[in-house]
């Protein structure tokens, strides 16, 4: 089982990498010292990553996990608001879409099935702060894309899933919690704490390796009941 995992250098991505390798999977990382470098703000980045990963894998990738993303504020009054919107969409959504496209075409050409796991966000459903319209929109797009892939290619054995974390204790989340008043945000989480990266990793590992085919199109929430559907 060979898995391409984007954004594997820290936080949720690093936890997913560990969970998968501990389960015996061969993981090709992106952005780590031992992984493949690729800049997703560059339109050529996703294709370059896919081609390099495919060569490293010996011509066959079984699972794609899109985890790479940015969470950068863009207050409405900023002069570069549109540029920030486009940067976030490029990295969070378009790069993931391009990799999904390459994965589906790869599996179709080989005549085999495969799995896609997209790491989205609670923000896809409940939105985010006024400075993060672009982030919420990018993650909602990722969920819609996941469901579209699941519906479109299930008969070919190509499965797609998404994970929607809430706040997760990565460096990125710690900065955001402190900037928004951590106690107030924690009060909005019935569990009383933010998720640990290994909790998100457990969900991603299950979907990548174990989830039954009939679960294709599923979105797994991991947010301490701060948003329920």
């Amino acid at each position: 089982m060979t898995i391409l995992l984007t954004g594997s250098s820290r936080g949720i991505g690093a936890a997913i990498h560990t969970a998968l390798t501990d389960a015996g999977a061969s993981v090709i990382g992106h952005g780590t010292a031992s992984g493949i470098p690729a800049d997703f703000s560059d339109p050529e980045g996703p294709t370059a990553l896919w081609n390099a990963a495919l060569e490293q894998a010996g011509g066959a990738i079984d699972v794609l996990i899109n985890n790479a993303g940015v969470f950068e504020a863009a207050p409405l009054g900023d002069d570069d608001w549109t540029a920030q919107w486009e940067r976030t969409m490029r990295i969070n959504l378009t790069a993931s879409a391009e990799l999904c496209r390459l994965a589906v075409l790869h599996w179709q050409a080989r005549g085999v099935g495969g799995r896609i796991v997209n790491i989205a966000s609670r923000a896809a459903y409940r939105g985010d702060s006024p400075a993060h319209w672009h982030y919420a929109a990018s993650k909602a797009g990722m969920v819609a894309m996941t469901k579209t892939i699941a519906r479109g290619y299930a008969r070919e054995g190509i499965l797609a899933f998404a994970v929607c974390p809430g706040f997760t204790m990565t460096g990125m989340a710690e900065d955001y919690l402190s900037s928004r008043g951590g106690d107030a945000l924690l009060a909005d989480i019935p569990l009383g704490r933010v998720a640990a990266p290994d909790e998100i990793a457990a969900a991603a590992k299950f979907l990548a390796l174990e989830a039954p085919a009939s679960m294709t199109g599923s979105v797994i929430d991991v947010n301490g009941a701060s948003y329920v559907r």
Side-chain angles (χ1 to χ4, degrees):
M1 177 68 66
T2 301
I3 300 172
L4 172 58
L5 168 64
T6 72
S8 59
S9 62
R10 61 189 177 90
I12 291 171
I16 294 173
H17 193 289
T18 297
L20 292 171
T21 53
D22 286 351
S26 174
V27 182
I28 299 173
H30 152 245
T32 65
S34 60
I36 300 170
D39 179 3
F40 283 178
S41 67
D42 178 355
E44 303 300 322
T47 299
L49 172 63
W50 178 265
N51 290 337
L54 200 58
E55 181 177 359
Q56 184 173 321
I61 292 173
D62 304 297
V63 178
L64 167 66
I65 302 179
N66 281 309
N67 170 71
V70 293
F71 182 79
E72 299 167 344
L76 297 187
D78 283 4
D79 292 339
D80 65 347
W81 187 88
T82 299
Q84 283 292 96
W85 175 283
E86 292 177 347
R87 168 178 161 78
T88 293
M89 288 295 176
R90 170 77 246 174
I91 294 172
N92 289 9
L93 181 56
T94 306
S96 295
E98 289 170 335
L99 286 168
C100 286
R101 171 180 173 268
L102 291 168
V104 169
L105 290 171
H106 171 63
W107 296 323
Q108 288 177 327
R110 292 178 59 213
V112 301
R115 292 187 178 219
I116 292 168
V117 181
N118 289 321
I119 308 301
S121 170
R122 177 188 73 171
Y125 290 100
R126 88 171 226 171
D128 210 285
S129 80
H132 292 91
W133 290 13
H134 52 345
Y135 178 79
S138 72
K139 294 303 187 178
M142 181 176 272
V143 169
M145 176 177 69
T146 301
K147 294 181 177 183
T148 301
I149 293 168
R151 288 176 56 81
Y153 307 101
R155 290 185 184 275
E156 299 173 66
I158 296 170
L159 313 178
F161 312 92
V163 180
C164 282
F167 289 114
T168 307
M169 195 49 69
T170 66
M172 184 169 62
E174 287 171 356
D175 293 342
Y176 186 59
L177 283 168
S178 63
S179 70
R180 294 284 302 280
D183 290 343
L185 286 179
L186 289 175
D188 189 42
I189 304 174
L191 187 61
R193 64 171 177 82
V194 299
D198 60 0
E199 292 181 294
I200 315 304
K205 183 191 81 167
F206 170 70
L207 295 174
L209 302 178
E210 304 165 17
S214 289
M215 281 188 65
T216 191
S218 296
V219 180
I220 304 299
D221 296 313
V222 190
N223 63 49
S226 59
Y227 183 78
V228 292
R229 292 181 286 123

